Amino acid sequence: MSNMNRRQFSSKITISGLGLITLKLTGCGSSNNSQVKESEQSSSDLSPMYSITVYDILMEGHSNLGSGKLGPNGTLPATTIAAGVAVTLNYIQDPHGHKFSITAADFDKLKKGERVAIDTTMAQGHNHKVVIDPKNKAPNANSVVITDPTKPNVEAEKIYASIEELDEPHLFVQGSKALEPNSVEYCVDTKDNCKNDQTLWKKSKVHLDTTDRQVLMSEQSLILDMSKQEIPLMIRGKLKENSRIIESVLKLVRKS
């Protein structure tokens, strides 16, 4: 492919820290008269971003002298757990001024559903223990949805794309990391239809660039229904480094 076409690709594609993708869809007629609208769509990985819900937790005061559970010691808010920032709180089971600190490591354990036990400060020659168990959810507890800390960050790698402003446009593809050229496919249909009908997928394996700016192009021009205002598009491929499959769920939008 010529250098001019590579420059055209670079002018069409937008890659940012937010993972935005610029796609262009031509209208009917010649490319000079086409109605084109740039549409920025967030890309998504094949693996979903895993999430969990944390709730307000009832904390318990315990004796360090063998008396066991002494009673409730207040509520740890879900918002505090989600923030994960170390805090120091008052121990309220006696009036001796004990305090206890919940560390960032403790919050990490709570987010994973693990129980933590924290010794209070000393006062009057003794201290206590505060037990915080995620299973001990507070009545009418508030909740916060957070990223599951036990799952990998699946948003690190993405696929970006652009389309020529031509009557029979080709699809240009680039990964945030190098892709296996023969693995890249696209499907011009809804996500459900693409998932359920493998015959809808087309290859995009022409290797145009061997530099860090690897570019792949569809073998055939895209067949688009120009009567539609929006056209769904899916792209998937394997990463060279570990063969993990990633994909983007996109949308082509015509000018109104």
Side-chain angles (χ1 to χ4, degrees), residues 195-238:
K195 293 289 189 183
N196 295 328
D197 187 352
Q198 295 302 307
T199 66
L200 296 175
W201 289 89
K202 306 297 182 183
K203 286 289 186 180
S204 179
K205 65 179 183 180
V206 180
H207 198 180
L208 305 178
D209 196 339
T210 58
T211 68
D212 291 339
R213 301 291 291 176
Q214 176 201 46
V215 177
L216 306 174
M217 184 181 77
S218 59
E219 289 185 305
Q220 303 172 353
S221 59
L222 274 66
I223 300 175
L224 304 174
D225 184 350
M226 292 304 180
S227 66
K228 295 183 177 179
Q229 180 68 24
E230 297 181 353
I231 298 177
L233 171 69
M234 290 188 67
I235 308 170
R236 68 188 179 193
K238 291 182 180 179

Side-chain angles (χ1 to χ4, degrees), residues 21 37 62 118 155 172 175 177 221 229 237:
I21 297 169
K37 177 181 180 180
H62 287 245
I118 304 166
E155 290 191 329
F172 295 83
K177 291 185 178 179
S221 59
Q229 180 68 24

Side-chain angles (χ1 to χ4, degrees), residues 34-249:
S34 63
Q35 297 295 307
V36 180
K37 177 181 180 180
E38 293 188 358
S39 173
E40 293 185 339
Q41 299 291 329
S42 296
S43 66
S44 65
D45 198 282
L46 179 63
S47 304
M49 172 58 78
Y50 297 97
S51 62
I52 59 171
T53 303
V54 293
Y55 297 88
D56 297 344
I57 301 173
L58 287 178
M59 297 182 286
E60 298 175 346
H62 287 245
S63 170
N64 274 336
L65 301 175
S67 300
K69 179 180 175 181
L70 300 175
N73 196 76
T75 299
L76 182 63
T79 51
T80 302
I81 299 171
V85 179
V87 294
T88 297
L89 304 173
N90 294 322
Y91 180 76
I92 62 176
Q93 273 297 311
D94 71 25
H96 300 142
H98 304 283
K99 294 182 181 295
F100 64 99
S101 296
I102 309 174
T103 66
D106 292 327
F107 283 121
D108 286 342
K109 291 181 180 179
L110 293 173
K111 291 174 183 178
K112 295 175 183 178
E114 299 175 12
R115 173 182 179 271
V116 298
I118 304 166
D119 285 332
T120 69
T121 56
M122 296 292 295
Q124 300 286 317
H126 69 282
N127 68 350
H128 297 271
K129 189 181 298 292
V130 176
V131 174
I132 311 173
D133 190 337
K135 295 179 181 178
N136 196 13
K137 186 167 65 173
N140 302 314
N142 295 308
S143 63
V144 177
V145 177
I146 63 172
T147 301
D148 188 342
T150 67
K151 303 294 183 182
N153 179 3
V154 297
E155 290 191 329
E157 294 86 30
K158 301 178 185 297
I159 294 179
Y160 308 97
S162 183
I163 294 178
E164 294 174 306
E165 294 182 42
L166 299 172
D167 292 335
E168 297 181 354
H170 281 82
L171 177 68
F172 295 83
V173 174
Q174 186 176 74
S176 55
K177 291 185 178 179
L179 302 167
E180 294 181 9
N182 293 336
S183 73
V184 179
E185 301 175 294
Y186 64 93
C187 175
V188 185
D189 213 317
T190 65
K191 182 176 180 178
D192 288 342
N193 288 343
C194 291
K195 293 289 189 183
N196 295 328
D197 187 352
Q198 295 302 307
T199 66
L200 296 175
W201 289 89
K202 306 297 182 183
K203 286 289 186 180
S204 179
K205 65 179 183 180
V206 180
H207 198 180
L208 305 178
D209 196 339
T210 58
T211 68
D212 291 339
R213 301 291 291 176
Q214 176 201 46
V215 177
L216 306 174
M217 184 181 77
S218 59
E219 289 185 305
Q220 303 172 353
S221 59
L222 274 66
I223 300 175
L224 304 174
D225 184 350
M226 292 304 180
S227 66
K228 295 183 177 179
Q229 180 68 24
E230 297 181 353
I231 298 177
L233 171 69
M234 290 188 67
I235 308 170
R236 68 188 179 193
K238 291 182 180 179
L239 294 172
K240 272 189 175 181
E241 64 180 18
N242 56 18
S243 295
R244 185 166 71 84
I245 297 176
I246 60 174
E247 73 178 23
S248 288
V249 181

